[in-house]
Amino acid sequence: EAVLDFEAAVRADANFGNNPIFSKGEEFVDAKVLFRIGENYNIFLEAQNLMKEYSQTYIDEAKPIEYYYPGRRFFAGAQLKF
């Protein structure tokens, strides 16, 4: 007997025979650093999904429906206030 060890949100969908559909618990880790240069100018570095987490929905462990992997993302930018 398999035991699911996911913290899950549950819903039902007629496309899957009204079986309950579970979502795997997720822990996305993001970070952002902002540097203020004077009163009117900022630069920033941002990283999203540092732990390479993914989303998964399933009916049971043997019937995954969807995997979504947004990937690790990095951003840099500047802000100027007029």
Side-chain angles (χ1 to χ4, degrees):
E1 177 180 338
V3 176
L4 297 176
D5 60 353
F6 298 113
E7 294 177 19
V10 182
R11 66 181 193 275
D13 188 325
N15 293 325
F16 298 102
N18 284 327
N19 289 316
I21 297 175
F22 300 90
S23 296
K24 180 180 91 47
E26 304 163 347
E27 293 183 13
F28 289 95
V29 176
D30 302 333
K32 183 175 184 177
V33 177
L34 177 80
F35 300 97
R36 291 196 172 125
I37 303 171
E39 290 185 26
N40 297 324
Y41 190 68
N42 299 326
I43 58 173
F44 67 89
L45 302 171
E46 183 175 357
Q48 296 179 347
N49 197 14
L50 290 170
M51 305 305 288
K52 298 182 178 180
E53 183 67 69
Y54 64 95
S55 298
Q56 176 184 0
T57 56
Y58 56 92
I59 294 174
D60 61 38
E61 283 189 86
K63 298 177 186 173
I65 297 170
E66 176 183 64
Y67 290 97
Y68 172 68
Y69 175 64
R72 189 184 288 175
R73 295 172 283 185
F74 299 94
F75 304 92
Q79 298 172 327
L80 178 61
K81 295 180 186 178
F82 294 102

